Amino acid sequence: MPPRICLLNPGIQNHAGALSHNLGDVIIFDAVREQFAEIWPDFHLDILSTHEELGPAQYKVIRQSDYVIVGGSNLLSSNMNHYNQWKVSWRDLYRLRNVILMGVGWWQYQKAPNLYTALLLHGVLSKRHIHSLRDEYTVHKLRRIGIRNIVNTSCPTMWKLSPDRLRTVPAERANNVLFMVTDYNLRPDIDRPIAELLLESYEGVFVWPQGSGDEEYLRSFNLPFIFVERSLAALDRLLEDRTISLDYIGTRLHGGVRCLQFARRSLILFIDNRAETIARDTKLPALARTDLDGIRDWINHPKPTRVELDQGAIAAWRAQFDE
């Protein structure tokens, strides 16, 4: 029989399937589902939300599953009794076991995990499977609490950024640029000068609201942006249109990786640990949002895009399901 996979998915806001307020989570889900289709020629997939607590109906699904996998995003933190994007708690310890991580990262730079977090993660995470983590920073955090069956694979959205695919990314600057901002980290004193630089440097500046509050923030600048509909399908249509010469510059990590998936020259501006740690591990093109001179230099002095992934770690995580 085909294996039953239960995906704990940040791409949906609740167990009824409403999309996450952050479409970056949907980009992650798209990559996770693509990997599943390659690992298992045939499988049954049940999807639960990481944003909502588990109840009797969800536990029934989990009991019937061969594998329970958490699919990406920055769901772990050092004090999960106080802040937990993944809505799991001590109440789940007796019913949620053998969970497998896939490209999961740490929320922000933090101190060492507290005792509650250590006991919780030791209780719910599988001890016999390899866990895939998003960056070396998260690897270090879990090693601090004695969890060692872990590998750094980076985010599943990046797993197909092979050297062959990246060679199709233009080295030269494009005529237009796609700009993205982050609604939960509003810094108009920084973002507006970036937007003005882009308007000076490119013929057109497209914007796509990945977060539910991004469009309102972008419109507050009162600048001549070209707005793209807030849907993943609309973003993909823009990226697929090869009649539009397009770079990407913005603070949305997964929006930028989506552009690389479509062979668009991309620069991700980091505002927290996520893009910064991934870039440190993989050489993903990234700069601090405050580095206006660096952004200007990237625009005017293009070079080939290179991303270094640990393909052995990715292969080891995938191979464990061949048993």
Side-chain angles (χ1 to χ4, degrees), residues 222-274:
N222 196 27
L223 292 172
F225 296 137
I226 305 166
F227 282 83
V228 180
E229 173 193 318
R230 187 176 177 268
S231 71
L232 189 55
L235 175 63
D236 287 353
R237 284 194 296 270
L238 173 65
L239 298 177
E240 286 170 345
D241 188 348
R242 308 319 288 192
T243 66
I244 301 175
S245 172
L246 192 71
D247 286 344
Y248 168 80
I249 298 175
T251 60
R252 288 295 188 174
L253 168 61
H254 295 106
V257 173
R258 189 70 165 189
C259 293
L260 284 175
Q261 291 173 350
F262 281 83
R264 300 294 191 166
R265 179 173 171 259
S266 301
L267 177 67
I268 294 157
L269 307 179
F270 55 79
I271 57 175
D272 56 27
N273 64 307
R274 293 168 305 152

Short mmCIF file of all heavy atoms in Angstrom, two decimals, residues 222-274:
data_model
loop_
_atom_site.label_atom_id
_atom_site.label_comp_id
_atom_site.label_asym_id
_atom_site.label_seq_id
_atom_site.Cartn_x
_atom_site.Cartn_y
_atom_site.Cartn_z
N ASN A 222 3.74 55.93 -1.86
CA ASN A 222 3.24 56.81 -2.93
C ASN A 222 4.28 56.95 -4.04
O ASN A 222 4.58 58.06 -4.51
CB ASN A 222 2.86 58.18 -2.38
CG ASN A 222 1.98 58.97 -3.35
OD1 ASN A 222 1.25 58.38 -4.15
ND2 ASN A 222 2.07 60.29 -3.29
N LEU A 223 4.81 55.82 -4.48
CA LEU A 223 5.81 55.77 -5.55
C LEU A 223 5.23 54.98 -6.73
O LEU A 223 4.31 54.18 -6.56
CB LEU A 223 7.09 55.11 -5.04
CG LEU A 223 7.88 55.90 -3.98
CD1 LEU A 223 9.03 55.06 -3.42
CD2 LEU A 223 8.41 57.21 -4.56
N PRO A 224 5.75 55.19 -7.94
CA PRO A 224 5.15 54.58 -9.14
C PRO A 224 5.52 53.10 -9.31
O PRO A 224 6.15 52.70 -10.29
CB PRO A 224 5.71 55.44 -10.27
CG PRO A 224 7.03 55.92 -9.76
CD PRO A 224 6.83 56.14 -8.29
N PHE A 225 5.10 52.29 -8.37
CA PHE A 225 5.31 50.85 -8.47
C PHE A 225 4.30 50.23 -9.44
O PHE A 225 3.20 50.77 -9.64
CB PHE A 225 5.13 50.18 -7.11
CG PHE A 225 6.12 50.59 -6.05
CD1 PHE A 225 5.69 50.84 -4.75
CD2 PHE A 225 7.47 50.71 -6.34
CE1 PHE A 225 6.59 51.20 -3.75
CE2 PHE A 225 8.38 51.06 -5.35
CZ PHE A 225 7.95 51.32 -4.05
N ILE A 226 4.65 49.08 -9.97
CA ILE A 226 3.73 48.27 -10.77
C ILE A 226 3.30 47.10 -9.88
O ILE A 226 4.10 46.19 -9.60
CB ILE A 226 4.41 47.75 -12.05
CG1 ILE A 226 4.97 48.92 -12.87
CG2 ILE A 226 3.42 46.93 -12.89
CD1 ILE A 226 5.92 48.49 -13.97
N PHE A 227 2.06 47.13 -9.40
CA PHE A 227 1.61 46.13 -8.44
C PHE A 227 1.20 44.84 -9.14
O PHE A 227 0.49 44.86 -10.14
CB PHE A 227 0.44 46.67 -7.61
CG PHE A 227 0.88 47.61 -6.52
CD1 PHE A 227 1.12 48.96 -6.79
CD2 PHE A 227 1.07 47.14 -5.23
CE1 PHE A 227 1.54 49.81 -5.78
CE2 PHE A 227 1.49 48.00 -4.22
CZ PHE A 227 1.72 49.33 -4.50
N VAL A 228 1.65 43.72 -8.57
CA VAL A 228 1.28 42.39 -9.05
C VAL A 228 0.27 41.82 -8.06
O VAL A 228 0.42 41.97 -6.84
CB VAL A 228 2.52 41.47 -9.14
CG1 VAL A 228 2.13 40.08 -9.64
CG2 VAL A 228 3.58 42.09 -10.04
N GLU A 229 -0.76 41.18 -8.57
CA GLU A 229 -1.81 40.58 -7.72
C GLU A 229 -1.19 39.68 -6.65
O GLU A 229 -0.22 38.96 -6.89
CB GLU A 229 -2.75 39.75 -8.60
CG GLU A 229 -3.77 38.93 -7.86
CD GLU A 229 -4.44 37.91 -8.78
OE1 GLU A 229 -4.77 38.27 -9.92
OE2 GLU A 229 -4.62 36.75 -8.34
N ARG A 230 -1.77 39.72 -5.47
CA ARG A 230 -1.24 38.92 -4.35
C ARG A 230 -1.73 37.48 -4.43
O ARG A 230 -2.65 37.05 -3.76
CB ARG A 230 -1.65 39.55 -3.01
CG ARG A 230 -0.98 38.84 -1.84
CD ARG A 230 -1.29 39.49 -0.50
NE ARG A 230 -0.66 38.71 0.56
CZ ARG A 230 -1.26 37.72 1.21
NH1 ARG A 230 -2.53 37.42 0.95
NH2 ARG A 230 -0.62 37.06 2.15
N SER A 231 -1.08 36.72 -5.29
CA SER A 231 -1.29 35.28 -5.38
C SER A 231 -0.03 34.66 -5.94
O SER A 231 0.71 35.32 -6.69
CB SER A 231 -2.49 34.92 -6.28
OG SER A 231 -2.18 35.17 -7.64
N LEU A 232 0.22 33.41 -5.59
CA LEU A 232 1.41 32.74 -6.09
C LEU A 232 1.31 32.54 -7.60
O LEU A 232 2.31 32.64 -8.32
CB LEU A 232 1.60 31.41 -5.37
CG LEU A 232 2.92 30.68 -5.63
CD1 LEU A 232 4.11 31.57 -5.32
CD2 LEU A 232 2.98 29.39 -4.82
N ALA A 233 0.10 32.30 -8.09
CA ALA A 233 -0.09 32.12 -9.53
C ALA A 233 0.29 33.39 -10.28
O ALA A 233 0.92 33.33 -11.35
CB ALA A 233 -1.54 31.74 -9.83
N ALA A 234 -0.07 34.56 -9.74
CA ALA A 234 0.26 35.82 -10.40
C ALA A 234 1.77 36.05 -10.41
O ALA A 234 2.33 36.53 -11.40
CB ALA A 234 -0.45 36.98 -9.71
N LEU A 235 2.42 35.73 -9.30
CA LEU A 235 3.88 35.85 -9.26
C LEU A 235 4.51 34.94 -10.31
O LEU A 235 5.41 35.38 -11.06
CB LEU A 235 4.40 35.50 -7.87
CG LEU A 235 5.93 35.46 -7.73
CD1 LEU A 235 6.55 36.83 -7.99
CD2 LEU A 235 6.34 34.93 -6.36
N ASP A 236 4.06 33.71 -10.37
CA ASP A 236 4.64 32.77 -11.33
C ASP A 236 4.41 33.22 -12.77
O ASP A 236 5.29 33.05 -13.63
CB ASP A 236 4.04 31.37 -11.12
CG ASP A 236 4.55 30.70 -9.85
OD1 ASP A 236 5.47 31.26 -9.21
OD2 ASP A 236 4.03 29.63 -9.49
N ARG A 237 3.26 33.80 -13.06
CA ARG A 237 3.01 34.29 -14.43
C ARG A 237 4.03 35.38 -14.79
O ARG A 237 4.53 35.42 -15.91
CB ARG A 237 1.59 34.83 -14.55
CG ARG A 237 0.52 33.76 -14.65
CD ARG A 237 -0.81 34.32 -15.12
NE ARG A 237 -1.36 35.28 -14.16
CZ ARG A 237 -2.16 34.97 -13.16
NH1 ARG A 237 -2.49 33.69 -12.95
NH2 ARG A 237 -2.63 35.90 -12.35
N LEU A 238 4.30 36.27 -13.84
CA LEU A 238 5.30 37.31 -14.09
C LEU A 238 6.67 36.70 -14.34
O LEU A 238 7.38 37.07 -15.28
CB LEU A 238 5.35 38.28 -12.90
CG LEU A 238 6.46 39.33 -12.94
CD1 LEU A 238 6.24 40.31 -14.10
CD2 LEU A 238 6.53 40.08 -11.61
N LEU A 239 7.07 35.75 -13.49
CA LEU A 239 8.40 35.16 -13.60
C LEU A 239 8.55 34.30 -14.85
O LEU A 239 9.65 34.17 -15.39
CB LEU A 239 8.70 34.33 -12.35
CG LEU A 239 8.72 35.11 -11.03
CD1 LEU A 239 8.96 34.17 -9.86
CD2 LEU A 239 9.76 36.22 -11.05
N GLU A 240 7.45 33.71 -15.30
CA GLU A 240 7.47 32.89 -16.52
C GLU A 240 7.54 33.73 -17.79
O GLU A 240 7.95 33.22 -18.85
CB GLU A 240 6.21 32.01 -16.58
CG GLU A 240 6.22 30.85 -15.61
CD GLU A 240 4.87 30.16 -15.53
OE1 GLU A 240 3.87 30.74 -16.01
OE2 GLU A 240 4.81 29.05 -14.96
N ASP A 241 7.17 34.98 -17.72
CA ASP A 241 7.09 35.84 -18.91
C ASP A 241 8.48 36.31 -19.30
O ASP A 241 9.01 37.28 -18.76
CB ASP A 241 6.18 37.05 -18.60
CG ASP A 241 5.89 37.88 -19.85
OD1 ASP A 241 6.57 37.67 -20.88
OD2 ASP A 241 5.00 38.76 -19.77
N ARG A 242 9.08 35.63 -20.25
CA ARG A 242 10.46 35.95 -20.64
C ARG A 242 10.53 37.21 -21.50
O ARG A 242 11.64 37.66 -21.83
CB ARG A 242 11.09 34.78 -21.39
CG ARG A 242 11.01 33.44 -20.71
CD ARG A 242 11.27 33.45 -19.21
NE ARG A 242 12.66 33.70 -18.84
CZ ARG A 242 13.16 33.54 -17.62
NH1 ARG A 242 12.34 33.14 -16.63
NH2 ARG A 242 14.41 33.77 -17.38
N THR A 243 9.41 37.80 -21.86
CA THR A 243 9.46 39.09 -22.55
C THR A 243 9.76 40.22 -21.57
O THR A 243 10.06 41.34 -21.99
CB THR A 243 8.13 39.40 -23.26
OG1 THR A 243 7.08 39.59 -22.29
CG2 THR A 243 7.75 38.28 -24.22
N ILE A 244 9.67 39.95 -20.28
CA ILE A 244 9.97 40.94 -19.24
C ILE A 244 11.34 40.61 -18.65
O ILE A 244 11.52 39.58 -18.01
CB ILE A 244 8.90 40.96 -18.14
CG1 ILE A 244 7.53 41.28 -18.73
CG2 ILE A 244 9.27 41.97 -17.06
CD1 ILE A 244 6.39 41.22 -17.72
N SER A 245 12.30 41.48 -18.87
CA SER A 245 13.63 41.35 -18.29
C SER A 245 13.55 41.80 -16.84
O SER A 245 13.17 42.93 -16.54
CB SER A 245 14.62 42.22 -19.08
OG SER A 245 15.86 42.28 -18.46
N LEU A 246 13.91 40.90 -15.89
CA LEU A 246 13.55 41.15 -14.49
C LEU A 246 14.60 40.64 -13.52
O LEU A 246 15.02 39.49 -13.59
CB LEU A 246 12.21 40.45 -14.19
CG LEU A 246 11.50 40.80 -12.88
CD1 LEU A 246 10.93 42.21 -12.94
CD2 LEU A 246 10.39 39.79 -12.60
N ASP A 247 15.06 41.51 -12.62
CA ASP A 247 15.84 41.13 -11.45
C ASP A 247 14.91 41.08 -10.24
O ASP A 247 13.77 41.56 -10.30
CB ASP A 247 16.93 42.16 -11.16
CG ASP A 247 18.10 42.11 -12.13
OD1 ASP A 247 18.23 41.10 -12.86
OD2 ASP A 247 18.88 43.08 -12.16
N TYR A 248 15.42 40.53 -9.13
CA TYR A 248 14.72 40.59 -7.85
C TYR A 248 15.63 41.22 -6.80
O TYR A 248 16.79 40.83 -6.67
CB TYR A 248 14.29 39.20 -7.37
CG TYR A 248 13.83 39.22 -5.92
CD1 TYR A 248 12.54 39.64 -5.60
CD2 TYR A 248 14.68 38.88 -4.88
CE1 TYR A 248 12.11 39.70 -4.28
CE2 TYR A 248 14.26 38.94 -3.55
CZ TYR A 248 12.98 39.35 -3.26
OH TYR A 248 12.58 39.43 -1.95
N ILE A 249 15.06 42.16 -6.03
CA ILE A 249 15.73 42.70 -4.86
C ILE A 249 14.66 42.90 -3.79
O ILE A 249 13.65 43.58 -4.04
CB ILE A 249 16.42 44.05 -5.16
CG1 ILE A 249 17.53 43.88 -6.21
CG2 ILE A 249 17.01 44.65 -3.88
CD1 ILE A 249 18.17 45.17 -6.65
N GLY A 250 14.84 42.31 -2.61
CA GLY A 250 13.83 42.49 -1.59
C GLY A 250 14.13 41.71 -0.32
O GLY A 250 15.04 40.88 -0.27
N THR A 251 13.33 41.98 0.70
CA THR A 251 13.53 41.37 2.01
C THR A 251 12.79 40.05 2.18
O THR A 251 12.92 39.42 3.24
CB THR A 251 13.09 42.34 3.13
OG1 THR A 251 11.69 42.65 2.95
CG2 THR A 251 13.89 43.63 3.09
N ARG A 252 12.04 39.62 1.20
CA ARG A 252 11.33 38.35 1.31
C ARG A 252 12.23 37.22 0.81
O ARG A 252 12.55 37.13 -0.37
CB ARG A 252 10.03 38.40 0.50
CG ARG A 252 8.95 39.28 1.12
CD ARG A 252 8.48 38.74 2.46
NE ARG A 252 7.30 39.46 2.97
CZ ARG A 252 6.64 39.10 4.06
NH1 ARG A 252 7.03 38.06 4.77
NH2 ARG A 252 5.59 39.79 4.46
N LEU A 253 12.64 36.36 1.76
CA LEU A 253 13.55 35.26 1.44
C LEU A 253 12.94 34.31 0.42
O LEU A 253 13.55 34.02 -0.62
CB LEU A 253 13.89 34.52 2.73
CG LEU A 253 14.61 33.17 2.58
CD1 LEU A 253 15.95 33.32 1.90
CD2 LEU A 253 14.77 32.50 3.95
N HIS A 254 11.74 33.83 0.69
CA HIS A 254 11.19 32.80 -0.19
C HIS A 254 10.67 33.38 -1.50
O HIS A 254 10.69 32.70 -2.53
CB HIS A 254 10.12 32.00 0.55
CG HIS A 254 10.70 31.22 1.69
ND1 HIS A 254 10.53 31.59 2.99
CD2 HIS A 254 11.51 30.13 1.70
CE1 HIS A 254 11.19 30.75 3.77
NE2 HIS A 254 11.79 29.87 3.02
N GLY A 255 10.27 34.64 -1.47
CA GLY A 255 9.96 35.31 -2.73
C GLY A 255 11.20 35.38 -3.61
O GLY A 255 11.14 35.15 -4.83
N GLY A 256 12.35 35.67 -3.00
CA GLY A 256 13.59 35.72 -3.76
C GLY A 256 14.02 34.36 -4.28
O GLY A 256 14.49 34.23 -5.41
N VAL A 257 13.88 33.33 -3.44
CA VAL A 257 14.23 31.99 -3.89
C VAL A 257 13.30 31.55 -5.02
O VAL A 257 13.73 30.88 -5.97
CB VAL A 257 14.19 30.99 -2.71
CG1 VAL A 257 14.38 29.56 -3.21
CG2 VAL A 257 15.26 31.34 -1.69
N ARG A 258 12.02 31.93 -4.94
CA ARG A 258 11.10 31.62 -6.04
C ARG A 258 11.62 32.23 -7.34
O ARG A 258 11.56 31.60 -8.41
CB ARG A 258 9.71 32.16 -5.73
CG ARG A 258 8.62 31.69 -6.71
CD ARG A 258 8.34 30.22 -6.52
NE ARG A 258 7.10 29.79 -7.14
CZ ARG A 258 6.58 28.59 -6.95
NH1 ARG A 258 7.18 27.72 -6.17
NH2 ARG A 258 5.45 28.25 -7.55
N CYS A 259 12.15 33.43 -7.27
CA CYS A 259 12.70 34.07 -8.47
C CYS A 259 13.90 33.28 -8.99
O CYS A 259 14.05 33.10 -10.21
CB CYS A 259 13.10 35.51 -8.16
SG CYS A 259 11.68 36.58 -7.80
N LEU A 260 14.75 32.80 -8.10
CA LEU A 260 15.87 31.96 -8.54
C LEU A 260 15.38 30.67 -9.17
O LEU A 260 15.98 30.17 -10.14
CB LEU A 260 16.79 31.65 -7.36
CG LEU A 260 17.72 32.77 -6.89
CD1 LEU A 260 18.46 32.34 -5.64
CD2 LEU A 260 18.70 33.16 -7.99
N GLN A 261 14.30 30.10 -8.65
CA GLN A 261 13.74 28.89 -9.25
C GLN A 261 13.36 29.13 -10.71
O GLN A 261 13.43 28.22 -11.53
CB GLN A 261 12.51 28.43 -8.47
CG GLN A 261 12.79 27.89 -7.08
CD GLN A 261 11.52 27.61 -6.30
OE1 GLN A 261 10.42 27.98 -6.72
NE2 GLN A 261 11.66 26.96 -5.16
N PHE A 262 12.98 30.37 -11.01
CA PHE A 262 12.61 30.74 -12.39
C PHE A 262 13.77 31.41 -13.12
O PHE A 262 13.57 32.07 -14.13
CB PHE A 262 11.40 31.67 -12.37
CG PHE A 262 10.09 30.97 -12.16
CD1 PHE A 262 9.66 30.63 -10.90
CD2 PHE A 262 9.29 30.64 -13.24
CE1 PHE A 262 8.45 29.98 -10.70
CE2 PHE A 262 8.07 29.99 -13.06
CZ PHE A 262 7.65 29.66 -11.79
N ALA A 263 14.99 31.21 -12.61
CA ALA A 263 16.21 31.71 -13.26
C ALA A 263 16.20 33.23 -13.40
O ALA A 263 16.64 33.77 -14.42
CB ALA A 263 16.41 31.04 -14.61
N ARG A 264 15.75 33.91 -12.37
CA ARG A 264 15.81 35.37 -12.33
C ARG A 264 16.93 35.80 -11.38
O ARG A 264 17.04 35.30 -10.27
CB ARG A 264 14.48 35.95 -11.84
CG ARG A 264 13.28 35.61 -12.72
CD ARG A 264 13.38 36.25 -14.10
NE ARG A 264 12.13 36.14 -14.84
CZ ARG A 264 11.84 36.83 -15.94
NH1 ARG A 264 12.75 37.67 -16.44
NH2 ARG A 264 10.68 36.69 -16.54
N ARG A 265 17.76 36.70 -11.83
CA ARG A 265 18.86 37.21 -11.02
C ARG A 265 18.29 37.85 -9.76
O ARG A 265 17.42 38.70 -9.82
CB ARG A 265 19.64 38.23 -11.85
CG ARG A 265 20.82 38.89 -11.18
CD ARG A 265 21.59 39.74 -12.19
NE ARG A 265 22.60 40.56 -11.56
CZ ARG A 265 22.47 41.85 -11.30
NH1 ARG A 265 21.36 42.50 -11.63
NH2 ARG A 265 23.46 42.52 -10.72
N SER A 266 18.82 37.44 -8.58
CA SER A 266 18.14 37.80 -7.33
C SER A 266 19.13 38.18 -6.24
O SER A 266 20.19 37.57 -6.10
CB SER A 266 17.30 36.62 -6.84
OG SER A 266 16.32 36.24 -7.80
N LEU A 267 18.72 39.19 -5.45
CA LEU A 267 19.46 39.62 -4.27
C LEU A 267 18.48 39.70 -3.11
O LEU A 267 17.52 40.48 -3.16
CB LEU A 267 20.11 40.98 -4.49
CG LEU A 267 20.86 41.55 -3.28
CD1 LEU A 267 22.10 40.70 -2.96
CD2 LEU A 267 21.26 43.00 -3.50
N ILE A 268 18.72 38.91 -2.08
CA ILE A 268 17.84 38.89 -0.90
C ILE A 268 18.45 39.79 0.16
O ILE A 268 19.64 39.71 0.46
CB ILE A 268 17.65 37.46 -0.41
CG1 ILE A 268 16.89 36.65 -1.46
CG2 ILE A 268 16.89 37.44 0.92
CD1 ILE A 268 17.09 35.18 -1.40
N LEU A 269 17.64 40.66 0.73
CA LEU A 269 18.08 41.60 1.77
C LEU A 269 17.66 41.04 3.12
O LEU A 269 16.47 40.90 3.39
CB LEU A 269 17.46 42.98 1.53
CG LEU A 269 17.68 43.55 0.12
CD1 LEU A 269 17.00 44.92 0.00
CD2 LEU A 269 19.17 43.66 -0.22
N PHE A 270 18.61 40.74 3.97
CA PHE A 270 18.25 40.08 5.22
C PHE A 270 17.92 41.10 6.31
O PHE A 270 18.53 42.15 6.43
CB PHE A 270 19.29 39.06 5.68
CG PHE A 270 20.70 39.53 5.82
CD1 PHE A 270 21.10 40.23 6.94
CD2 PHE A 270 21.64 39.22 4.85
CE1 PHE A 270 22.42 40.63 7.10
CE2 PHE A 270 22.97 39.61 5.00
CZ PHE A 270 23.36 40.32 6.12
N ILE A 271 16.87 40.72 7.07
CA ILE A 271 16.38 41.55 8.17
C ILE A 271 16.42 40.79 9.49
O ILE A 271 16.14 41.36 10.54
CB ILE A 271 14.94 42.03 7.90
CG1 ILE A 271 14.01 40.84 7.66
CG2 ILE A 271 14.89 42.99 6.72
CD1 ILE A 271 12.55 41.19 7.51
N ASP A 272 16.74 39.51 9.43
CA ASP A 272 16.86 38.68 10.64
C ASP A 272 17.80 37.53 10.33
O ASP A 272 18.56 37.59 9.35
CB ASP A 272 15.49 38.22 11.13
CG ASP A 272 14.69 37.47 10.07
OD1 ASP A 272 15.32 36.87 9.16
OD2 ASP A 272 13.45 37.46 10.15
N ASN A 273 17.73 36.47 11.12
CA ASN A 273 18.70 35.39 10.98
C ASN A 273 18.48 34.50 9.78
O ASN A 273 19.40 33.80 9.34
CB ASN A 273 18.68 34.52 12.24
CG ASN A 273 17.35 33.80 12.44
OD1 ASN A 273 16.29 34.44 12.43
ND2 ASN A 273 17.39 32.50 12.61
N ARG A 274 17.30 34.51 9.19
CA ARG A 274 16.97 33.49 8.19
C ARG A 274 17.85 33.58 6.95
O ARG A 274 18.63 32.67 6.66
CB ARG A 274 15.49 33.59 7.82
CG ARG A 274 14.54 33.21 8.94
CD ARG A 274 13.13 33.61 8.62
NE ARG A 274 13.05 35.02 8.30
CZ ARG A 274 12.14 35.57 7.50
NH1 ARG A 274 11.24 34.80 6.93
NH2 ARG A 274 12.13 36.87 7.28
#
